Amino acid sequence: MSPILNIQSLSKNYGAVEILKDVNVAIDPGDFLVLVGPSGCGKSTLLNCIAGLEPISGGSISIDGRDMTQVSPKDRDIAMVFQSYALYPTMTVAKNITFGMKVRGVDAATQARKLAEVARQLQIEPLLDRRPGQLSGGQRQRVAMGRALVRDPKLFLFDEPLSNLDAKLRVSMRSEIKKLHQNLGATMVYVTHDQIEAMTLATKIVVMKGGVVQQIGTPAEIYNHPANLFVADFMGSPAMNLIPARTQRAESGIQIEITRPEGAPMILQGPQVQDLPEDIILGLRPEDIIEAGMRSGANVQAAKCRIDLVEPAGADTYVVSELGGRQVTARLHAETKAQPGAMLDLAFDLAKVSFFAPDTGERLN
Amino acid sequence: MSDFSATPAVSPPVRPGQIALRWLLFSLLGLFALFYLMPLFVMLTTSLKSLEEIRSGSLVALPREVTFDAWRTAWSEACTGIQCEGLRPYFWNSVLLAVPAVLISTFLGAANGYIIAQWNFRGANLIFSAMLFGCFIPFQVVLLPMARMLGLMGLAGTIPGLIFAHVIYGIGFTTLFFRNFYVTIPGDLVKAAKVDGAGFFRIFWSIFLPLSLPIIVVTVIWQFTQIWNDFLFGVSFSQAGTQPVTVALNNIVNSTTGVKEYNVDMAAAIIAGLPTLLVYVVAGKYFIRGLTAGSVKG
Ligand SMILES: Nc1ncnc2c1ncn2[C@@H]1O[C@H](COP(=O)(O)OP(=O)(O)O)[C@@H](O)[C@H]1O
Ligand SMILES: [Mg+2]
């Protein structure tokens, strides 16, 4: 299968400022690509480059095998949903949705049929005669989606379409977009700064920082094998614990030494065959630090830790302990007996461990 | 009891001092209004008096006997030099001049403003600055070069020539108005329309112009007032037969031999000023709204 969207060594400058550096991404038809990263990292710029709304400074973008460098947005066979929705204020909802078809000279009967189809799909039939100013935020969002859906393009582009909605609506619209993707089988490129949105929607995630792609992978790859400290910290909530540690070669393999505020350092048995530098940062997700005895496995190792904080969160209880000079979060069962100030046996599941180099931040294993 | 909301439970207490202050304020404002209305009052009453009454009575007295003779004379009989056709032909000159000049300069201003505000191109700011500078060039500076230009184009002394002069001079202002209005419109609108397949003119026509009613009203009022009331261009670039109403009014007032017909002068002045007044009355509401539209939105 040839990629529907292929971005090769793309760069983008505004004047002397480099906004995007050497971006390489390819996706297959039906993929849901999410571009995620902190605000200002160049996600919107990249999306605008794909749409042809911003000229690129280097590299190439091709859609369905065709080089897009000289192609204007209207001929790229794309549809886009904007963060601000960008509905045409003087047109009714119906006119907003059919504007693109009207401009392209689609006949009136087809326009009406497609409008009815999309309106039913998004449940906006009662709104068709209203103007954007008379709609709520959620309704505007639906109309913006409708304007894109009615086009049936090769590529859907979304720029933070949910970020202006309140939390509850955001979650329900998120599932609707996911359903839509599954039903249409369409290819989508979706920008967000919300890593949960990225994890729940994507078939493929691109994590960006400062205009540089940090990692590309499936949500599981990104979550379980973050390529560097930035990705490890950015993806997942609560964030991955990143604990400074020292390694020592022993006969049995590598020993990992983590300081504790009181008493001797904690010693964990590292993997058998692994070449690690002396100073490392050990990454473990909160769900891989549990109460001793709750999980079995060759790599589950227990150690006594002092609990500083207990945070019940309903389904789970998070406890915080200081290790290697960092606040380390563990995810325990809701029924845990953990008490702040008391010692508790915590189990560390090193099957899921990540090691990073403290200086470069790169993943070591 | 059914209408709770109409009567607020707690009305803010008003102190006597505040009431006194309010009265003082309104009396003062009323006084100013009277002061400014006085000339209009005198003009109106004088125009409705006969010459004998003007000579015998007081300036501010109401007319004893209302007569429209002076108005008739001013409109169709008063002499502007050797011709004695009243203001009528010149009034139509002004209409023929102001309407196209206002429409053309407003349209060009809208197009310019749209381009400068929404299509970032190299030198956009430079062009805008140059146009802004054009707003501050006094009429007198333009007179000679414009006269030469009109001569070269064969438009000297014609109404199209006057239209040309006013359009050129007005573009700076109209561009400024529209540009400042259009920068408040989010750029995503243009992007969305581009993705939808619309081009430069289609976006202007289908999306920006329909949004522009408030600023169109502001610009039309501004331009109409400027062009209708203009005297300097009118007197410089016209000749007998193409003079606008302001020039004719001047001629009527200055060319009377023998007795000065104050009533005719006043009537003529009111006739000459009536259209701008009318435009304000009809569109004034939109004018205020348009001036504040940007700030309310932002
Ligand atoms: N037109 C522009 N001119 C100059 N710099 C810009 C322009 N648009 C965006 N930028 C800069 O590019 C960077 C990336 O912006 P953007 O792509 O909007 O980030 P994101 O969508 O990830 O929040 C920001 O630092 C922003 O200031
Ligand atoms: Mg953005």
Side-chain angles (χ1 to χ4, degrees), chain A residues 48 53 74 78 80 82 84 86-91 99-100 103-104 147 151, chain B residues 186 188-199 202-203 206-207 210-211:
Chain A
N48 283 334
L53 294 167
K74 70 176 161 58
I78 50 165
M80 191 159 172
F82 294 84
S84 61
L87 301 179
Y88 311 127
T90 56
M91 298 184 200
F99 181 69
V103 169
R104 288 179 152 81
R147 199 168 57 181
R151 292 273 315 283
Chain B
D188 278 356
L189 231 47
V190 170
K191 289 186 180 173
K194 276 189 193 169
V195 172
D196 260 344
R202 185 65 183 248
I203 297 174
S206 299
I207 294 167
L211 268 174

Side-chain angles (χ1 to χ4, degrees), chain A residues 39-40 42-45 83 159-160 191:
Chain A
S39 203
K43 309 178 295 287
S44 297
T45 306
Q83 184 171 8
D159 192 352
E160 309 218 14
V191 163

Side-chain angles (χ1 to χ4, degrees), chain A residues 250-314:
Chain A
E251 272 170 35
S252 53
I254 287 174
Q255 289 194 333
I256 301 162
E257 198 179 296
I258 301 170
T259 59
R260 281 184 280 200
E262 53 206 35
M266 184 171 107
I267 306 282
L268 296 175
Q269 199 62 42
Q272 292 297 326
V273 275
Q274 181 85 54
D275 204 17
L276 288 176
E278 196 178 338
D279 283 311
I280 57 158
I281 291 191
L282 177 148
L284 260 186
R285 298 230 171 248
E287 62 266 31
D288 296 322
I289 308 178
I290 49 198
E291 239 167 317
M294 303 300 272
R295 197 185 289 180
S296 57
N299 289 305
V300 182
Q301 302 170 39
K304 265 206 175 352
C305 301
R306 208 191 65 186
I307 304 301
D308 298 329
L309 208 61
V310 178
E311 294 176 330

